[in-house]
Each structure stands twice: as structure tokens, then as C-alpha cells.
Amino acid sequence: MTVLEVERLSKSFPIKSGLLQRETGRVRAVQDVSFSIARGETLALVGESGCGKTTVARCILRALPPSSGAIRFSPQEGTTIDLAPLSRSALRPIRRHIQMIFQDPYASLNPRMMVGDIIAEPLLVAGVPLAKRQARVRELLELVGLPPAARTRFPHAFSGGQRQRIGIARALALDPTLVVADEPVSALDVSVQAQIINLLLDLQDRLGLSMLFVAHDLGVVRHVSDRVAVMYVGRIVEVAPTIALYARPRHPYTEALLAAVPKPDPMLRDAAAAPRGEVADPANPPPGCAFHPRCPHAVDRCRVELPELREVAPGNFSACHRAEELTLVGVA
Amino acid sequence: MSIATSSEERFAQASQLQLTWWRFCRHRLAVISLAVVAFFYLVVIFADFLAIADPHAVDARRSFIPPQGFALFDSGAWSPHVSGLKGVRDPRTFKLTYTPDPARKLPVKFFVRGYSYNLFGVIPTDRHLFGIEGGQPVDGVFLLGTDQLGRDLFSRLIVATRISLSIGLAGVTLSLMLGILLGGISGLYGGAIDTLIQRLIEVVRSIPTIPLWMGLAAALPNTWSVTQVYFAITLIISLVSWTELARVVRGRFLALREEDFVIAAELAGASQMRIILRHMLPSFASHVIAAVSLALPVMIVSETSLSFLGLGLRPPAISWGILLQDAQNVQVLAGAPWLLCAAVPVIIVILAFNFLGDGLRDAADPYG
Amino acid sequence: MVEAARRVLSVRDLVVDFVQDTGTIRALDGVSLDLHAGRVLGVVGESGCGKSLTARAVLRLVDRPGRIVSGKVLLDPGAPAQQELTALDPEGEAIRAVRGGRIGLIFQEPMSALSMHYTVGNQIIEAIRAHSGLGKSAARQRAIELLQEVGIPRPETRIDAYPFQLSGGLRQRVGIALALAADPEILIADEPTTALDVTTQAQILALLRRLQRTKGMALMLITHDMGVIAQMADDVAVMYLGKVVEFAPVQQLFAAPRHPYTRALLRSVPNIRAVPRERLATIGGAVPHPESRPTGCAFHPRCPEIIAGRCALEMPPPLPPDQEGASCFHVMPKMMVDA
Ligand SMILES: Nc1ncnc2c1ncn2[C@@H]1O[C@H](COP(=O)(O)OP(=O)(O)OP(=O)(O)O)[C@@H](O)[C@H]1O
Ligand SMILES: Nc1ncnc2c1ncn2[C@@H]1O[C@H](COP(=O)(O)OP(=O)(O)OP(=O)(O)O)[C@@H](O)[C@H]1O
Ligand code: SF4
Ligand code: SF4
Ligand SMILES: [Mg+2]
Ligand SMILES: [Mg+2]
């Protein structure tokens, strides 16, 4: 069963300049993005800085109004709501079903509230009575591996990793149908990052969470996701099950990304060939396939015709004109 | 997974407010300043009780008496006393002037009866902290001397403190309300109304303050009572200073809107009201307090300068500015330099408020 | 054992304190390192372990309230022209000739080395002229060559660009060009690619490696990414809480890490080849703040191989400089035999 179905989602921001702040152009941060997430599934959204991952996440959470497209969400079996056109007040009752885990463990907790109150806030807002709230907070603290005494402390007494656990507990408070995590481990040290990744894996298993996992680290993504969507300059260029995508990428950009990751093995040196050029500017993307100036496989067609995302193998979608004919290299 | 051990318990359990307070306590100068400011406001509250003589009581006979010592012992025994006054006829002008007569000792007593007033504005009483009982009508404890009209400067200074400091407080309260209201609307709604308020602020700030105040103050009718003038002056000086507070409030509002924890509350389904009251207001309260303690001295100086220039409060009202006005001319300065001591509390209070404000600001936002 | 390359810089028992009103923080606790001509020393460790501080202390850039308490930094150790950087006035002429002259520095955020208000060319030309006698037009020619060398396309036009007109990757290339302006023998790169995307990172790392090899420079590469270390370093120093806890040639370190911390760190890195949904090995707890440094071996509260009754009380002996090994009771006895 599908929990979330995003269809042709687009979001653009005005570029303002000059004294009068007149609009002089638009950044097309997200363009025609479509994907779906099944119940209990984790879909990772990866790509380089500025490709629009956070914008997609915020549109789904409706912290931003999308410019166009549909965001069909099924809080329960049989009901589907399009979140895209909803007003602020119409959204409020639905909010509890989609929760977010933030990147910055310091900025995401109110420094003036006790941890117990932070975790209980969604419950309080949803009208859960006090006794139930307290019991639930205790349960949640245990779930994320914090001692019950944490309730009466303030966030400053916790390390980055512990704060991230608090943020996760808050996101899970109301048993959300979908959790959107925007780079939840990027700000953490390696040793703490591993703890949080393991926690997320445990929670996926225990609670059957459905998750949209935004990340830029392909190593982290490999550990936590069932499927991966790769974005480049506002568009999804490839979607595939995790193992398939890593083993045999179907888009030259995915291949380049995998090749660029520095492998933690000194025996595998100099194998990585970095792609040439720079990530394109979303305010002024190249015509045709946005990756063509950097693509070693580009042909004339790529410079003029925009490749559509299409199924090139069962379950594998790619937006490359030459997806079928190319044999791209992944990692074992 | 372990969390802070018991030795760190105090720190772990501390609220943001406590942490701010601990950080504040590390600024020694700011802590001293806080004590100084608190002392001055205590003086404000107990002004009449502390005053020795009626600050309005005129007596030409004791004009320009220099500050008088205050002896604690009399031939080895505890007996605080001052000297009485002795009339001396000037051999050239034949004018009778009074000078202290060390031979006549007047005992200083505590909780003596003096002029009547209302304590805290409500309790009628005539008790004062100290003073003398009995003696001739001209006698008194003139710690800081007297002015031309024979009024006790110490008592006048204390009562002036009340007016000068409370006018600052009233002005700040007024500009705080204006600032929070307009800054809050600006930051909360944004768009056209924000632009409008921002332009208004810019216009107000671009007007040179001194001429504006002078113009407005000069326009106050002569017939107005002391109270009316008092409120008018408050209004005038807060007219300008609200803009700074509005800026602080608006800036914090805009910054907080984008904070992850505010977005988290919104995603939890919290109402606007709850977000503002629970998450945003507490986060900038400390900034506002710091801004206020930096705005206060400006207000106090404004009132003092206006009154000094004769454009603010007018006698019989007593404020620091008015006391300084009395010390204006050279003749007085040469003959009665003690009148200048009215400048001392002005300087102390202004410095104290500035150090206090700096300390509060650093404590509230160690990174900004 | 490290082969006999010329030692160009030695750091010996460097101790740096931060004196605060809440107490004194010992941020570096006896760091010893050596840089060799033509070799890359990777310095790795988690946030706050003192990597950047080591680099700053070498260049005498420790700001108040920080203070170098003891230890030495020697340039050209053993040579007749040996210079003791720790003995120089941190604001003096001599250290400034070393900074940006003999030792080039590359920052994580290139903007911290570049000014917004001058063109890229102005800044590089100024750096070239400060450390050489070149005239204006010769320096400009050299600057264009440098920009070319660091792979900036169309250097003749880009030289007149302002830093904010360039992308992050190009800015870092300019930062590298700036560090190379005086032809340094030593390059210190503090997380040069942490702020960059993977594809850009791969480009910058390739560039750094090429430059380091062709010029025979000694490179000190600071990073928290084990992948970057594996790809770039010849020797590796692993730091934990202001100390070097393990030193080894890179192959040795990855094949047979000696210190329990290194072992745990390597196992907790998410791997691009992992079995999906595989759990990572973790280290319990988090890096303590140097303010509350544990007694004995600083790693003992998190160590899976702790020796009861010993590690919490005794400090394992520090690593002798420039010798492979680890500062751990499990490792030291073998080391002693070796020595
Ligand atoms: N509020 C905004 N106004 C204008 N442009 C914006 C805004 N938010 C994002 N953008 C632009 O939209 C594009 C996509 O940004 P987004 O934050 O979604 O990227 P991202 O993939 O999350 O990147 P990162 O990995 O750096 O977080 C960027 O070019 C960014 O500059
Ligand atoms: N200005 C300062 N005041 C107090 N302590 C400081 C200061 N600067 C650095 N330190 C201390 O020095 C320690 C080492 O800092 P350093 O910047 O070298 O860490 P790092 O290893 O580079 O970490 P990162 O990966 O986060 O860059 C920190 O843990 C901190 O406690
Ligand atoms: S469409 Fe062309 S340019 Fe784009 S990725 Fe495919 S081959 Fe390369
Ligand atoms: S000395 Fe002891 S605590 Fe430290 S790393 Fe070795 S075994 Fe672990
Ligand atoms: Mg993002
Ligand atoms: Mg650093």
C-alpha cells in the first residue's frame, strides 16, 4: 500500500534584485519530481548540495507551498488526501501523521523547554491527557535509548547524538504514518552517526516506519534505505532499489556519484575518476539533459532534448536517453 | 547510554534563565552595576523617607550653606551630631548670613518626624530616616549644602532621582509597548505592513532628535501642571526610542520564524498563539530586557538635557536636569561648587545602565 | 617504519591550554608529529579532538584565551638553519615569512582566507609579491599560471573575478592557488573538502595529490573522513582528545589498526559496499569535552577492550614521535620489544 505519492511536484523561488527587490528570474529548485513510498518502506533522496532535496522534503511537510503538482498522502488505508492545495488550517489535523527529523540537533530543540516538554508537545497539541502524555514520554525515551531522568533536563545538557535521539522521540510521539528525515546524521561525528543509523534501523524494524530519508552520503544511504532516488539540479534522474542502484547504476550521474565517494581502503587508490565541471546552477540549468556538460556519454540529442524519467528495467527508472545502451559501473 | 553524572546535575537541570543568570554573574562590572541600579531604584521608592528636609522649603537665611560634616562621636562617646547655624553679619554688606557654629551641637536622630508625605504614595506619615529634632528654624542636616533659596540639596537630589529615574522607566515602558506591538506586527505578518512600518521607522530615525525634542517641548503650553508636563515629556522622549526596540523585536521574530524548533512546533500542529507564546516570546525576552537597559540611560539623559536646557520639566518640579540648571551660571559655580554634585548620580546611573545592558546582552546571547 | 625522507617539520610534545573563568581546558595534550618532504601525513579524528588547533599552533595562530604552554615546533629540524617556530613572536616578521611562505595553509571554508572586497588576482598577486621580489606584471603572469595549475578554466578572465562570483569548488581552487603563491615546501590543508560535494571533493583531492607529488611538498591533510585518509595519506596520525593515539603507515592502519579507538572508528564508518540494513559497529557514548577529560587513558569510558583497574587510573605512555604504534596498554609492550 502506498503511503505517499508525489506527482510532478515543482517548486520555484523568485530571484529578487535591485533596490526595489523586483523579481528578475526564478530558481527552479524542484521540477516535475514524482515518486512514491510504500508502507514500511524507506526511500532515500540523494544528490549534491542545492539539487533540491530539502525543498522536496519541505513541500511534502507543507512547510513550503508547492508551485505545482500533487502530494497524495494516505494517513490510513482507504483515505487519500492531496496536501498540495490545502490551507494552513486545513493542514493542522493532518500534521500529526507526517513528522520530521531535523539535520541540526542544536537548532531543532527549543533551548528553553525541558526535554520532557519537548517530546510531549505534539501530544499536548493533539489533546492527549496529562497522565497518558507522561507515560508516552517515558516510553519514547526508552525507545530512543535515553534514561527517564532526561525528562527534567534541558537540551543543553545533551550531546549532539543525544539531542538527535530527543528529536527522533518527538517525531515518533504521535505514531506518524510517514517520517521525513532531512540529513538526520550529517551533523554528527562518525561514532555517533553509527549509533543513530542503528537506532533508525531498529525503529524501522520495530515500528514499520515509512520514511523519506534525505541525505548526501551514499554510504549512509546504503545502510538505511530500501530504494534510492537520485536528484540532479531539481529533477530526479534515477530511482531504483538500493542494491540494484549501487551495483548497476542506470544514469551516468549516479555512476559519477558512486565513483567520487572516497573508499575507505588504501588499496583502491586512484581508481576514482572525478567527473569534470561543476554542478549546474538551478537558476540557469543547461538545456536538454542538465548533466550533459559533465557527462562522458553525452550525444547531440542530450543537448536539446530533455530525457523523461522512465522504467528501463523492472523497478529501475532512469532519465537518460542512453540508459538502455550504456553499461555503467557501480560498486560491488 | 549515560547522561550527565550527579556532579553535573545542577548544570543539566538548569533552565535557560538560570544559565543566562550564571553567565551574567561572570561579568563582574555588570553585577556591580546591577547593585548600583537596584540601589538607585530603592532610593526612588523611599525618596521622601530618605529626604531630610522638605525639598521645596525655601528659607533665604540659609542660602548657600556649604556641605556640612556629620560627626559620629562627641568626646569619645557615640553621639552623631551636626553643628547648629550661627547668624553672622557681613562687616561690609551688613547682610546676615548663617554659618555653622561648631560650639552648638545638634544630635542627629533616626526615624525623626519631619515634613508629611505619603509613603509609596498611599501611607500618610511624617517619619524620615534621620534628621534633627528641635533647634532653631534655620537648623538642619545639610549633607550636600543648600542652594540659593536655602533648600537642602541632599533632599532635593533624592527627590529628583525619583523623577528622573521614573520618567526613564515610564518612557521605556511606553516605547517598549510601541516597539513590541509594531515590531511584532512587522515580523509576524511581513509583506506590505512590514514595509510600511519599516519606512516609518526609517523616517522617525532620520529626524535629528535634539531639534525635534526642542520643538515639541517648546510647544507645551505654559499653563500645564507639573504632572501634565511630566507625561508629555515622557511621550516625547519615547517617540524616538521605540524604533530601536521595534527593530530588535522584528529582527528576532524573523530569525525565530526560520528556527528549526519553531518549524518543529508548527509541524506538530501547534497554533500560532502557542508558537508565539511558548516558543518565540521566551526566546527573545532576554534580548528585549537587554535592549531596555540600554535604552533607559538614553531616556534619562534625554530628560536631563531637556530640563537642563529649560525645555523639559520646569520648577517647581525637581529633576536632575533642573538641579543642574540651577548650577548653570559661573557665579554660582564659583561661590557654591557643591551644587554641581547633581551631576554625580547622572554619571553613575548612566554608566551603570550601560554596563548592565552590555552584561545582559552578552549573557542572553553569547554568540551574537 | 617511515623511509628516510627529509624531515621538514617536527612538532614535539605540544601542549595548548585555554584559560577560561570556568577552568583551564587542555585542548592539546602533548602532540608530536613529523612532516617529511614528498609525503602526506593524514591527521584524522572526531570533532574537537584538536586537529585544527594543531595546525594553528604550528603556524602560531592560536588566539587568546588559547596559549601554547610547552612543546616545540621546529622547521627544518636538525638542519643548520633550523628554526624554532614556538620561540618566535606570533605577530613578528619571522613567523609571517613562514606563514604563507615556507608553509602554505588551505582552510575548510576558502572564504576565510579570501577577502570579499578584492579580486582573486589582487589577492594572489599580493601574496606572490609578499614572498618574492617579482614585479607587478611578472606577478600577474605567475598568478595566471597558478590559477591554470589548480584547474581553473579561463584563468586570464577569472583572475579579475571577485571570490563571491565563483562556485564553492572554484573558490577552494583559488584558496589552493593562494596557498601555493610562495611555492611552499609544506602545505597544511585543514578539512579542504569537508564543505564540498562528493564530485567536487574528488576533483579537489585529485588536484591536491597531483600538486603535492609534482612539487614534492610535505602535505599535512586534516580530515575526519576515513575515506579521504585512505585515498590520500602516506602516514596517518589518529587523534583523540588532544593526543595522537595511533601513528602508522596508511596500509598498516587500515589492514591492522592497533588502537581500540582506531579499530572502532574504522568499523563505524558507513560503507558504500555494505549489506543493506546492516547494523554498524558503534562506540558507546560520545567524545567527552576536553573540560571533563577522563582520568587515565582518555578513551577508557568508551573502550571495549578496557583493562579493569588499570586504564582508568594509569595513563598509557605517549607515542614516541615518528614511530608507528599506539598509545594503549594492549599495544605498548610489543612496541617496547621492537625498540
Ligand atoms: N527560500 C528560498 N529562496 C530562494 N531560493 C531557495 C530557497 N530555498 C532554496 N532555494 C534554492 O533552491 C535550490 C535547492 O535548495 P535545497 O535547499 O532544496 O537544496 P538541497 O538539495 O537540500 O541542498 P543541501 O544539500 O545543500 O541541503 C538551491 O539552489 C537553493 O539556492
Ligand atoms: N576559543 C576557544 N576557547 C575554548 N576552547 C577552545 C577554543 N578553540 C578551541 N578550543 C578547544 O580546542 C579543542 C580542539 O579544537 P579544534 O578546533 O582543534 O578541533 P578539531 O579537531 O579541528 O575539530 P573539528 O572537526 O570540529 O574541526 C576543542 O575541543 C575546544 O575545546
Ligand atoms: S541523457 Fe545524455 S547527457 Fe544526460 S546522462 Fe544520459 S547520456 Fe548523459
Ligand atoms: S589503554 Fe585501556 S582504555 Fe585506553 S585504549 Fe587501551 S585498552 Fe582501551
Ligand atoms: Mg538540504
Ligand atoms: Mg577543525
Side-chain angles (χ1 to χ4, degrees):
Chain A
M1 188 203 120
T2 314
V3 169
L4 181 77
E5 194 182 355
V6 175
E7 200 185 323
R8 302 200 93 78
L9 176 72
S10 297
K11 173 71 190 174
S12 60
F13 297 100
I15 306 171
K16 289 181 176 163
S17 60
L19 207 67
L20 294 169
Q21 291 290 293
R22 242 200 305 259
E23 187 177 325
T24 54
R26 291 191 88 79
V27 189
R28 277 172 286 172
V30 171
Q31 278 194 77
D32 287 330
V33 161
S34 305
F35 60 83
S36 64
I37 299 176
R39 185 170 295 281
E41 184 189 40
T42 296
L43 175 75
L45 200 55
V46 303
E48 294 179 281
S49 161
C51 70
K53 307 179 296 290
T54 297
T55 308
V56 169
R58 300 226 154 175
C59 284
I60 290 170
L61 290 155
R62 281 303 316 276
L64 278 176
S67 304
S68 66
I71 304 166
R72 280 187 286 274
F73 173 62
S74 310
Q76 289 105 30
E77 204 136 348
T79 47
T80 301
I81 316 154
D82 184 2
L83 303 180
L86 293 190
S87 69
R88 201 189 193 116
S89 52
L91 276 167
R92 269 184 62 196
I94 302 167
R95 291 244 185 255
R96 56 175 298 171
H97 302 294
I98 311 183
Q99 286 296 307
M100 175 166 189
I101 304 172
F102 292 84
Q103 170 172 3
D104 186 344
Y106 290 85
S108 58
L109 306 180
N110 187 344
R112 287 169 180 79
M113 279 165 78
M114 277 194 280
V115 167
D117 295 337
I118 290 175
I119 298 176
E121 178 154 45
L123 301 164
L124 179 81
V125 169
V128 177
L130 181 69
K132 275 219 183 108
R133 265 194 332 252
Q134 286 175 338
R136 179 77 179 132
V137 166
R138 238 171 254 131
E139 202 178 293
L140 285 162
L141 282 172
E142 198 199 315
L143 190 67
V144 298
L146 288 174
R151 267 178 314 131
T152 55
R153 292 161 192 242
F154 287 88
H156 66 82
F158 296 87
S159 67
Q162 290 170 325
R163 284 169 192 239
Q164 208 55 315
R165 288 172 195 267
I166 298 168
I168 292 171
R170 172 179 59 193
L172 297 179
L174 287 167
D175 274 325
T177 315
L178 176 69
V179 174
V180 176
D182 189 359
E183 313 244 10
V185 296
S186 308
L188 306 175
D189 270 331
V190 197
S191 65
V192 178
Q193 176 177 294
Q195 298 165 2
I196 300 296
I197 289 174
N198 287 355
L199 172 66
L200 288 173
L201 286 170
D202 289 343
L203 293 174
Q204 286 171 352
D205 289 348
R206 283 172 66 178
L207 311 175
L209 286 183
S210 315
M211 223 160 127
L212 177 66
F213 188 92
V214 175
H216 66 263
D217 184 330
L218 289 162
V220 173
V221 164
R222 170 114 187 186
H223 278 272
V224 298
S225 64
D226 302 309
R227 280 193 307 140
V228 182
V230 182
M231 279 186 86
Y232 187 73
V233 198
R235 293 178 187 273
I236 289 187
V237 295
E238 179 166 1
V239 187
T242 306
I243 302 180
L245 183 119
Y246 281 72
R248 189 179 184 297
R250 305 278 177 162
H251 193 283
Y253 178 61
T254 314
E255 181 187 44
L257 269 186
L258 288 170
V261 176
K263 318 285 178 298
D265 184 352
M267 300 309 214
L268 296 172
R269 274 199 193 185
D270 297 314
R276 56 204 158 113
E278 307 260 326
V279 176
D281 177 4
N284 187 19
C289 170
F291 190 56
H292 84 252
R294 309 176 73 190
C295 180
H297 311 289
V299 292
D300 287 342
R301 185 183 173 200
C302 307
R303 285 177 258 281
V304 286
E305 196 187 323
L306 179 75
E308 281 284 327
L309 189 68
R310 63 186 198 286
E311 190 158 13
V312 294
N316 290 36
F317 296 78
S318 167
C320 170
H321 291 309
R322 306 185 58 197
E324 288 88 350
E325 49 178 303
L326 295 172
T327 307
L328 303 173
V329 197
V331 290
Chain B
M1 171 125 292
S2 74
I3 56 175
T5 56
S6 61
S7 65
E8 290 155 355
E9 197 62 31
R10 200 168 79 102
F11 180 72
Q13 302 262 0
S15 70
Q16 205 60 28
L17 195 68
Q18 272 166 301
L19 287 177
T20 307
W21 173 245
W22 290 342
R23 276 197 298 265
F24 176 79
C25 288
R26 289 207 226 127
H27 285 257
R28 206 158 303 147
L29 207 53
V31 175
I32 295 172
S33 300
L34 179 65
V36 169
V37 168
F39 169 78
F40 270 92
Y41 277 99
L42 275 179
V43 170
V44 167
I45 294 171
F46 292 102
D48 278 313
F49 175 67
L50 294 172
I52 302 164
D54 183 349
H56 298 285
V58 174
D59 191 333
R61 288 172 299 178
R62 50 181 199 213
S63 145
F64 290 138
I65 292 171
Q68 234 182 327
F70 187 102
L72 289 181
F73 296 97
D74 188 12
S75 43
W78 170 255
S79 149
H81 64 271
V82 292
S83 310
L85 292 182
K86 174 174 71 174
V88 183
R89 201 160 296 273
D90 188 298
R92 278 181 294 135
T93 59
F94 298 106
K95 230 176 96 185
L96 188 70
T97 53
Y98 283 78
T99 49
D101 172 11
R104 210 153 57 81
K105 287 175 186 146
L106 298 169
V108 173
K109 294 205 178 115
F110 286 93
F111 303 106
V112 295
R113 290 171 177 279
Y115 69 95
S116 317
Y117 64 96
N118 292 336
L119 187 63
F120 310 131
V122 284
I123 310 165
T125 172
D126 58 358
R127 294 275 173 196
H128 295 265
L129 181 60
F130 62 90
I132 50 171
E133 265 172 343
Q136 297 166 13
V138 293
D139 289 333
V141 186
F142 305 116
L143 286 181
L144 296 175
T146 63
D147 64 4
Q148 187 173 16
L149 301 177
R151 296 172 295 197
D152 175 32
L153 194 59
F154 177 79
S155 307
R156 283 176 70 73
L157 202 52
I158 280 181
V159 174
T161 302
R162 179 170 63 192
I163 302 248
S164 287
L165 289 188
S166 69
I167 213 168
L169 218 51
V172 157
T173 312
L174 204 68
S175 55
L176 190 63
M177 289 192 304
L178 267 173
I180 288 189
L181 192 72
L182 292 178
I185 289 175
S186 215
L188 192 59
Y189 294 105
I193 185 137
D194 177 36
T195 316
L196 193 79
I197 293 175
Q198 289 314 298
R199 293 301 93 81
L200 176 69
I201 289 181
E202 276 155 30
V203 168
V204 171
R205 289 176 76 89
S206 66
I207 303 172
T209 42
I210 299 288
L212 173 75
W213 285 338
M214 286 172 67
L216 286 172
L220 297 184
N222 262 327
T223 48
W224 278 16
S225 73
V226 170
T227 329
Q228 278 172 315
V229 173
Y230 178 95
F231 282 111
I233 294 291
T234 314
L235 207 69
I236 289 171
I237 56 184
S238 50
L239 213 61
V240 173
S241 65
W242 69 268
T243 56
E244 187 52 45
L245 285 162
R247 273 182 175 219
V248 171
V249 171
R250 171 178 178 269
R252 295 303 305 167
F253 246 99
L254 289 182
L256 282 167
R257 279 231 83 106
E258 298 298 313
E259 285 276 352
D260 281 353
F261 71 82
V262 173
I263 293 175
E266 200 160 327
L267 293 181
S271 64
Q272 276 286 26
M273 208 54 186
R274 181 175 165 82
I275 290 174
I276 293 173
L277 292 181
R278 191 83 174 92
H279 295 278
M280 295 172 78
L281 273 183
S283 299
F284 68 68
S286 46
H287 291 86
V288 169
I289 291 172
V292 161
S293 69
L294 291 173
L296 260 166
V298 178
M299 298 252 164
I300 293 168
V301 167
S302 307
E303 181 279 327
T304 307
S305 345
L306 280 178
S307 303
F308 177 75
L309 292 172
L311 294 165
L313 298 173
R314 310 184 189 113
I318 311 172
S319 79
W320 288 344
I322 286 174
L323 292 184
L324 282 172
Q325 199 188 8
D326 287 346
Q328 235 175 33
N329 68 64
V330 185
Q331 216 182 329
V332 168
L333 280 185
W338 58 87
L339 288 187
L340 263 185
C341 68
V344 174
V346 182
I347 294 167
I348 294 177
V349 163
I350 301 304
L351 282 178
F353 267 120
N354 276 305
F355 292 138
L356 177 64
D358 283 344
L360 282 172
R361 194 178 44 200
D362 291 352
D365 193 358
Y367 314 106
Chain C
M1 192 69 19
V2 177
E3 73 234 37
R6 185 168 59 91
R7 264 199 301 160
V8 287
L9 187 97
S10 284
V11 177
R12 286 291 172 272
D13 303 317
L14 200 60
V15 176
V16 173
D17 278 357
F18 282 89
V19 182
Q20 298 181 323
D21 29 3
T22 46
T24 298
I25 298 173
R26 178 138 299 184
L28 287 189
D29 193 7
V31 169
S32 298
L33 293 171
D34 280 298
L35 293 186
H36 299 269
R39 290 186 74 84
V40 180
L41 173 72
V43 178
V44 69
E46 292 179 281
S47 177
C49 67
K51 307 181 295 293
S52 305
L53 193 56
T54 306
R56 277 190 285 143
V58 165
L59 292 164
R60 304 297 313 278
L61 288 171
V62 179
D63 299 320
R64 286 172 58 91
R67 197 168 63 89
I68 298 179
V69 177
S70 63
K72 278 196 175 92
V73 176
L74 300 171
L75 193 57
D76 299 321
Q82 165 178 319
Q83 233 182 330
E84 190 180 336
L85 301 187
T86 27
L88 300 178
D89 167 15
E91 256 112 60
E93 204 58 49
I95 189 76
R96 267 188 277 155
V98 172
R99 252 183 242 150
R102 304 271 320 268
I103 307 180
L105 187 60
I106 302 168
F107 297 93
Q108 170 173 347
E109 191 24 78
M111 286 319 288
S112 56
L114 294 170
S115 158
M116 275 289 175
H117 308 292
Y118 296 94
T119 62
V120 163
N122 275 338
Q123 302 183 49
I124 298 179
I125 291 169
E126 195 187 321
I128 292 173
R129 298 193 62 196
H131 295 282
S132 74
L134 287 185
K136 262 217 172 94
S137 61
R140 187 179 166 87
Q141 199 47 48
R142 176 88 188 97
I144 292 175
E145 279 168 34
L146 273 172
L147 291 177
Q148 175 104 50
E149 215 176 334
V150 297
I152 291 183
R154 291 180 288 109
E156 326 72 46
T157 52
R158 288 285 168 76
I159 191 167
D160 294 316
Y162 287 89
F164 61 82
Q165 294 169 320
L166 303 175
S167 70
L170 285 184
R171 259 186 239 161
Q172 192 54 292
R173 286 176 194 266
V174 171
I176 294 173
L178 194 62
L180 294 177
D183 247 327
E185 297 152 65
I186 302 172
L187 207 50
I188 298 182
D190 188 358
E191 314 235 14
T193 58
T194 303
L196 304 176
D197 282 322
V198 263
T199 58
T200 320
Q201 162 167 292
Q203 294 168 350
I204 297 289
L205 291 181
L207 169 67
L208 273 177
R209 183 160 40 206
R210 196 190 80 222
L211 290 169
Q212 182 267 331
R213 282 196 191 151
T214 54
K215 293 176 188 286
M217 286 183 291
L219 172 63
M220 174 168 161
L221 179 68
I222 295 173
T223 177
H224 62 264
D225 186 336
M226 279 295 185
V228 172
I229 289 286
Q231 294 300 308
M232 298 288 293
D234 296 314
D235 309 302
V236 187
V238 181
M239 290 187 70
Y240 189 75
L241 270 189
K243 277 191 156 104
V244 176
V245 294
E246 175 159 6
F247 177 80
V250 68
Q251 260 102 4
Q252 167 74 37
L253 187 96
F254 280 83
R258 293 184 172 94
H259 197 281
Y261 175 61
T262 316
R263 270 204 283 278
L265 202 58
L266 282 172
R267 269 179 298 164
S268 62
V269 177
N271 192 337
I272 195 171
R273 291 193 171 75
V275 181
R277 313 200 57 79
E278 188 183 37
R279 302 295 189 270
L280 286 156
T282 59
I283 314 176
V287 182
H289 193 267
E291 218 170 305
S292 47
R293 172 191 298 276
T295 54
C297 170
F299 186 57
H300 87 257
R302 308 175 72 193
C303 183
E305 297 163 42
I306 183 170
I307 305 166
R310 182 163 191 203
C311 297
L313 306 172
E314 268 176 77
M315 191 104 74
L319 271 180
D322 222 15
Q323 283 188 33
E324 58 183 277
S327 165
C328 167
F329 291 124
H330 287 302
V331 184
M332 295 316 283
K334 192 176 125 260
M335 281 266 326
M336 304 289 183
V337 175
D338 279 359

